[in-house]
Amino acid sequence: MKILLLAFNVQEDIFPLGLRYLQAFANQHHPDVDVQIKEFSFGNRTAYATNKNIELQALSYIFLEKPDVVAFSCYIWSAQMIKDFARSIKSMNPAIKVLLGGVEVQESLLESSIDFIIQGEGEIAFKELVDFFKGLREKQDIHNIMYLANGVLKKGPTAFIENLDTIPIPFNNDEHIKYTVMRLETARGCAFDCSFCHYAIPPLRHFSLPYMEKSIAELFRSYEFSYLTILDGTFNSDINRMFAILDMVECEAKRKIKHIIIHCEMRPEMLDKEIVEKLQKYSFKMNIEFGLQSTHPEVLKAVKRYTNLSKVRENLALLDNSSINYKIDLMYGLPQDTFFRFLLSARFILDNAKKQHNLVAHHFMLLNNTDSLQHENVDRYTDATSGMVIRTETQDAFDIYKTKLFLDLINDELDVCKHIQRKN
Amino acid sequence: MPMLRKVKIHLKEVEKIIQTLPLVIKIKTISELNDALAILASHPHPLKGLELSMTDAIALEKKLSMQEISYLSILVDSEPKATSWRNFFLKNRIVEIFSPAEFFKPNLVPLLKGASRIVLTVKTEDDLENVPRYFSEMISIAQFPLIKGAPFCKIPMEHSYELYDQNNTQIKSKPTACAACLFTNNCPSAQGFLPIPLIDKNKFEDALRFLHHENTAARF
């Protein structure tokens, strides 16, 4: 049996960690099955809108490779195109089984050209689907899947991998592929419950430290890379664990004499002087991303993100006097947000994040499968797939767009200042 | 990060200069230019420049092409022509244009593409007639619409230029109808307009909070 795990991506030099997990887990149980990964990059979105060469390229690849199964990883930028692509595959060869998975999928994507949707964690479902294709398992016993039976939606039982260490380490590099950005997952789920975030969906579990140690060693042994992105919704939620993992990375980076930049996500209020001092001592550079999103209590309450702002202020001052780089983000268009509430949040950043040269704010994307979908009177641009919010109880499309324009206006000035300061 | 706040002064007000803030010198005649440039040359903040009329700006076009002028505030004082603008829109320079309603016509919009911001200046209720059109035209060139001269009650308040320019806003005497308004100490004027006092504290809570902490030099 030949299975093609396929993804359409914007960038092509980022390690496909999710697909590697599926491949490794399936191969652990079915070493006889040929599971291949192939990514297609459309790079420039504008070019993609006016031609469909990438689809033609991928269809031709499938035509030549003749897989029995094609499984797609759907993310925010690819979910809309996948439905049409699935139809094209079935038109080319109806015998090919088509699977969809990834954080984006939900039952509205299900139609006759799609045989199965894997919802939630994919490893167990993917392995059990291979069981099913080989005649070793009944369809109704497959976990985390959805499918249509005579036009009726059927769902399998739900399962999570309780012990993450049972997933084989995904960092073998037999193909000698080069990636600029490698990804290292240290946990699944999150200690927090923010309604807009995918991290909050599954229960919180961690890979054990011995697993992390082997994983990090394998990663450094197998790949040349410049950036290491740590996938953990709140890396500093357990300080001892965070430092244990960073120590492992430091050890391997020194052994390989590698200059790398680590990117991770933290909560600013959970830092202190001692932590900041310790973080500065590593040989690698650290870029920390803080998702503040808003400073307004009504907005934070609406998205279940509770933040101690005085602590944030205090810790940003610590970071401003350190060698650590950080980026603190806001979102506009959140439930209960208004233009003035956003302005108050923006001013908090301008007044307190002195190291940051501009305001970073993202349009709130209402993601499939997140609690934010439950908000009443919130509408998004796209129907079945995740997309930008165009209306909330407190804002219309113009309110949201004007916030973006105001943001541009502020950043124009900040960019001019930054440019002149650099020149001088 | 005080970068967004700036001090706008006339030449005779040099004592108001704050070294750590951006500086804009308002020049009334061409003869003031050299003195203004001398002050700007020694000002340490990267954002610094001039406010002047469009007529003067065109007359001084070559001098204004200096890279040292990173901020240019142009007051439209006659019917703008296509050739009037292009040379002012330099990379790494903020250019703001104040256009009276009488000169602001849809065919002006394409000419202004490249400006950092365009501010419609109004004096009477009649000037507000075309505000919805002004908003849509501004949006079509990705500009945040700003209006100078209108009371807060006559336009969506966030589009008032004075909201972000409290330091330079002269609070003039108000009609009796304004007495109960929450913004009597912040709103630029109600003369020439039919005011509708804004009295809903809940509705304007966040705007009031914003203004309460806005007692610094101007944002814009």
Side-chain angles (χ1 to χ4, degrees):
Chain A
M1 185 190 299
K2 183 171 178 178
I3 301 177
L4 185 60
L5 299 175
L6 199 145
F8 291 107
N9 287 331
V10 182
Q11 280 175 270
E12 59 188 4
D13 58 351
I14 299 178
F15 183 72
L17 182 63
L19 297 181
R20 286 301 193 114
Y21 277 137
L22 294 184
Q23 184 187 43
F25 197 81
N27 275 153
Q28 187 181 47
H29 297 274
H30 296 287
D32 57 313
V33 175
D34 178 13
V35 183
Q36 293 181 15
I37 294 173
K38 192 72 189 171
E39 293 183 285
F40 293 90
S41 160
F42 50 74
N44 186 320
R45 189 79 195 158
T46 314
Y48 169 68
T50 51
N51 71 59
K52 297 283 178 271
N53 283 342
I54 187 175
E55 282 91 333
L56 201 56
Q57 186 185 25
L59 279 171
S60 303
Y61 186 86
I62 292 166
F63 176 79
L64 293 168
E65 284 290 314
K66 299 184 172 37
D68 302 294
V69 179
V70 177
F72 292 103
S73 169
C74 301
Y75 203 68
I76 197 161
W77 53 79
S78 60
Q80 264 186 310
M81 65 195 279
I82 293 296
K83 275 174 101 168
D84 291 330
F85 193 74
R87 264 196 300 273
S88 305
I89 292 175
K90 289 287 187 185
S91 153
M92 187 170 72
N93 181 356
I96 295 176
K97 300 287 181 204
V98 175
L99 318 181
L100 302 190
V103 289
E104 260 300 306
V105 292
Q106 62 176 26
E107 56 189 65
S108 58
L109 282 172
L110 205 51
E111 57 180 32
S112 58
S113 55
I114 292 157
D115 295 282
F116 296 98
I117 280 181
I118 298 175
Q119 196 166 30
E121 283 178 358
E123 288 90 354
I124 293 173
F126 185 61
K127 177 258 169 196
E128 290 179 353
L129 275 165
V130 178
D131 292 346
F132 167 71
F133 293 139
K134 288 168 105 178
L136 304 172
R137 184 181 289 267
E138 295 297 321
K139 203 191 264 189
Q140 63 270 23
D141 296 335
I142 307 170
H143 290 86
N144 297 355
I145 63 158
M146 287 186 279
Y147 56 95
L148 292 174
N150 299 320
V152 178
L153 174 73
K154 300 278 182 186
K155 287 186 179 182
T158 307
F160 291 102
I161 299 177
E162 286 179 20
N163 179 4
L164 295 181
D165 288 5
T166 59
I167 305 173
I169 291 169
F171 299 124
N172 64 323
N173 187 14
D174 297 337
E175 303 97 333
H176 303 288
I177 302 172
K178 284 188 176 174
Y179 296 100
T180 307
V181 184
M182 287 301 294
R183 290 165 165 170
L184 178 69
E185 192 176 40
T186 65
R188 288 186 182 179
C190 184
F192 298 95
D193 194 23
C194 311
S195 65
F196 50 79
C197 183
H198 277 137
Y199 270 119
I201 300 168
L204 176 62
R205 291 142 300 151
H206 295 95
F207 289 91
S208 72
L209 288 176
Y211 180 98
M212 291 312 305
E213 193 166 18
K214 277 188 216 158
S215 200
I216 290 165
E218 190 66 21
L219 187 154
F220 274 86
R221 192 189 61 77
S222 307
Y223 294 93
E224 294 294 326
F225 57 94
S226 306
Y227 298 89
L228 179 62
T229 299
I230 293 186
L231 300 178
D232 183 328
T234 317
F235 193 34
N236 62 334
S237 61
D238 180 340
I239 296 296
N240 292 333
R241 181 180 160 78
M242 175 182 83
F243 280 120
I245 292 168
L246 290 175
D247 286 348
M248 293 170 195
V249 173
E250 172 82 336
C251 178
E252 290 297 330
K254 277 188 171 167
R255 200 194 331 252
K256 295 273 285 184
I257 320 171
K258 256 187 206 274
H259 297 288
I260 57 164
I261 296 173
I262 300 235
H263 179 92
C264 58
E265 293 175 72
M266 294 191 196
R267 294 285 290 242
E269 64 270 44
M270 294 166 75
L271 295 171
D272 60 30
K273 196 177 171 192
E274 199 186 329
I275 296 168
V276 172
E277 276 172 8
K278 208 169 165 188
L279 286 172
Q280 288 184 91
K281 288 181 181 158
Y282 288 111
S283 63
F284 44 75
K285 280 189 182 170
M286 284 198 79
N287 287 340
I288 305 176
E289 192 172 318
F290 301 122
L292 187 67
Q293 323 309 3
S294 173
T295 59
H296 199 281
E298 293 291 317
V299 181
L300 294 171
K301 188 178 164 197
V303 297
K304 295 196 280 179
R305 188 178 186 89
Y306 304 100
T307 305
N308 180 341
L309 289 177
S310 56
K311 202 81 184 125
V312 173
R313 195 179 285 120
E314 202 177 294
N315 290 339
L316 286 176
L318 279 176
L319 288 164
D320 284 330
N321 291 313
S322 78
S323 60
I324 297 165
N325 289 326
Y326 68 83
K327 179 165 77 82
I328 183 158
D329 298 349
L330 296 173
M331 273 195 218
Y332 55 91
L334 283 169
Q336 295 305 317
D337 209 2
T338 63
F339 181 83
F340 280 107
R341 288 177 178 182
F342 179 82
L343 224 56
L344 292 167
S345 302
R347 192 162 57 196
F348 179 90
I349 302 284
L350 290 170
D351 289 343
N352 294 293
K354 298 196 168 47
K355 220 179 209 181
Q356 185 161 302
H357 295 295
N358 56 5
L359 274 175
V360 183
H362 308 281
H363 193 137
F364 171 39
M365 305 296 276
L366 187 53
L367 302 180
N368 278 354
N369 305 311
T370 58
D371 281 355
S372 284
L373 286 170
Q374 309 305 321
H375 284 292
E376 282 178 17
N377 302 320
V378 174
D379 196 11
R380 63 184 179 187
Y381 183 69
T382 43
D383 179 23
T385 58
S386 297
M388 63 180 183
V389 162
I390 53 165
R391 182 175 58 84
T392 68
E393 285 184 306
T394 48
Q395 294 191 287
D396 55 32
F398 178 46
D399 291 326
I400 296 169
Y401 184 55
K402 75 167 77 159
T403 309
K404 184 243 180 292
L405 291 177
F406 195 86
L407 189 70
D408 291 346
L409 207 144
I410 294 172
N411 279 335
D412 278 353
E413 280 199 5
L414 295 173
D415 288 346
V416 170
C417 288
K418 188 175 145 191
H419 172 84
I420 295 170
Q421 274 164 339
R422 276 190 182 165
K423 209 173 75 177
N424 295 339
Chain B
M1 197 185 303
M3 286 179 185
L4 291 177
R5 300 170 195 149
K6 57 189 69 73
V7 176
K8 286 188 175 181
I9 55 156
H10 290 286
L11 265 180
K12 58 184 177 189
E13 300 172 306
V14 286
E15 73 282 357
K16 291 184 182 172
I17 293 175
I18 300 171
Q19 298 290 312
T20 53
L21 290 185
L23 174 65
V24 180
I25 301 177
K26 301 175 184 181
I27 58 169
K28 282 188 170 173
T29 63
I30 291 177
S31 61
E32 293 180 334
L33 181 70
N34 288 339
D35 289 343
L37 291 178
I39 295 168
L40 292 177
S42 61
H43 189 68
H45 198 281
L47 210 57
K48 53 190 173 182
L50 302 167
E51 179 187 292
L52 72 179
S53 70
M54 186 181 72
T55 306
D56 286 350
I58 292 167
L60 296 169
E61 196 182 296
K62 276 192 180 168
K63 284 203 168 185
L64 296 182
S65 66
M66 294 161 65
Q67 290 290 338
E68 288 73 20
I69 300 173
S70 56
Y71 197 99
L72 207 50
S73 191
I74 299 174
L75 314 174
V76 175
D77 56 349
S78 60
E79 187 83 41
K81 296 180 180 66
T83 50
S84 311
W85 304 104
R86 285 179 210 142
N87 296 331
F88 301 126
F89 300 152
L90 300 182
K91 208 180 166 195
N92 296 309
R93 171 187 278 180
I94 300 297
V95 179
E96 65 178 357
I97 292 165
F98 292 85
S99 173
E102 63 194 281
F103 298 131
F104 190 87
K105 296 177 182 124
N107 60 359
L108 178 64
V109 171
L111 307 179
L112 298 181
K113 215 171 175 181
S116 312
R117 54 178 163 263
I118 302 158
V119 184
L120 184 75
T121 56
V122 297
K123 283 184 180 152
T124 65
E125 195 88 24
D126 290 347
D127 288 342
L128 295 176
E129 198 181 322
N130 291 321
V131 159
R133 183 75 199 274
Y134 166 75
F135 274 36
S136 54
E137 292 295 340
M138 286 297 101
I139 291 297
S140 76
I141 55 166
Q143 285 274 355
F144 182 86
L146 284 162
I147 297 179
K148 189 176 180 185
F152 288 175
C153 58
K154 304 305 286 190
I155 54 171
M157 198 189 303
E158 60 270 29
H159 295 285
S160 166
Y161 183 87
E162 288 90 344
L163 183 82
Y164 315 98
D165 191 33
Q166 290 284 296
N167 260 32
N168 297 305
T169 299
Q170 289 181 345
I171 311 298
K172 295 171 188 162
S173 63
K174 302 260 188 311
T176 331
C178 295
C181 182
L182 295 165
F183 297 96
T184 44
N185 296 325
N186 307 100
C187 180
S189 172
Q191 303 294 353
F193 297 90
L194 299 169
I196 308 156
L198 305 174
I199 52 172
D200 186 342
K201 277 189 181 168
N202 286 336
K203 188 176 173 188
F204 297 107
E205 186 191 353
D206 293 316
L208 286 165
R209 265 184 70 197
F210 177 76
L211 282 168
H212 179 69
H213 297 285
E214 202 56 12
N215 55 352
T216 60
R219 293 267 164 192
F220 290 158

